[in-house]
Amino acid sequence: AEDPAVPVTHLLAEIREQGYTGSANLLVRYINQGRVEADHAALSPRKVAGLLTRHPDRLNDKHSALRDQLAGACPEMTVLADQIHAFAALLVPSAGNAERLTAWIATTRAADLPFLHSFATGLERDRAAIDAAVTLPHHNGRTEGTNCKIKLLKRQRYGRAGHPLLRQLILLN
């Protein structure tokens, strides 16, 4: 109670002198059961990523407040949240997005976020395709959906029917 920051090893040594025979793990669990920090569950990385990448209009008040708290937790998180928001704005095709993407990559390189550096490198590696994706309104979603459906039909019919029946199923669907 006098020194709440005392290391567990020192505390364990003191109470062992007084006859404590339990383990250090049991002592840590006993100490943590009364702490305020232990009263709430920690956020998983998946939950944090979901909060940071979800559109702000799709968050309820509780999640919006948690997202703002996460974004302001440290300077790196603030920069990360800003970069995610700026990149999400690039995903709506527009004529000036190629220049904005160049500026986004430069800002990302200037930030101290190594995991975003590798993402920016991947974007630069296939720059022509990325520029087309962020500037042109065309996409191949319908073709990809058809391919996915055909693969599903093939998996369902594996070993049960020949090519003519599979062809007929594809044409009927």
Side-chain angles (χ1 to χ4, degrees):
E2 294 171 6
D3 186 13
V6 66
V8 174
T9 52
H10 293 286
L11 187 59
L12 183 63
E14 286 182 28
I15 63 173
R16 281 220 169 122
E17 290 174 1
Q18 297 176 4
Y20 176 72
T21 58
S23 67
N25 187 19
L26 184 62
L27 177 64
V28 169
R29 286 191 308 182
Y30 177 75
I31 292 170
N32 285 338
Q33 78 186 30
R35 290 194 178 164
V36 176
E37 296 88 14
D39 289 344
H40 59 82
L43 288 175
S44 68
R46 181 177 290 195
K47 180 83 170 181
V48 171
L51 286 171
L52 290 176
T53 57
R54 194 168 298 133
H55 194 277
D57 294 344
R58 296 187 177 175
L59 293 172
N60 61 24
D61 293 336
K62 177 184 163 190
H63 287 135
S64 182
L66 184 58
R67 179 179 190 245
D68 294 341
Q69 185 181 1
L70 281 171
C74 64
E76 290 85 7
M77 285 296 284
T78 305
V79 171
L80 177 65
D82 292 343
Q83 288 301 97
I84 289 171
H85 183 69
F87 188 77
L90 290 171
L91 296 179
V92 177
S94 173
N97 277 354
E99 293 79 25
R100 279 180 262 178
L101 180 64
T102 303
W104 185 88
I105 290 173
T107 306
T108 300
R109 294 240 183 257
D112 188 25
L113 302 169
F115 44 87
L116 278 184
H117 291 204
S118 61
F119 179 68
T121 301
L123 290 176
E124 286 180 329
R125 234 182 270 143
D126 201 12
R127 187 60 194 259
I130 301 298
D131 283 346
V134 299
T135 57
L136 300 175
H138 312 292
H139 59 84
N140 63 347
R142 187 174 183 131
T143 304
E144 292 297 328
T146 303
N147 286 342
C148 184
K149 191 170 195 175
I150 289 171
K151 289 179 181 182
L152 173 71
L153 291 170
K154 282 176 66 175
R155 280 193 306 271
Q156 286 176 339
R157 304 287 179 234
Y158 180 75
R160 295 194 186 121
H163 183 71
L165 182 58
L166 178 64
R167 182 178 184 277
Q168 189 68 25
L169 284 170
I170 291 170
L171 291 175
L172 290 175
N173 283 315

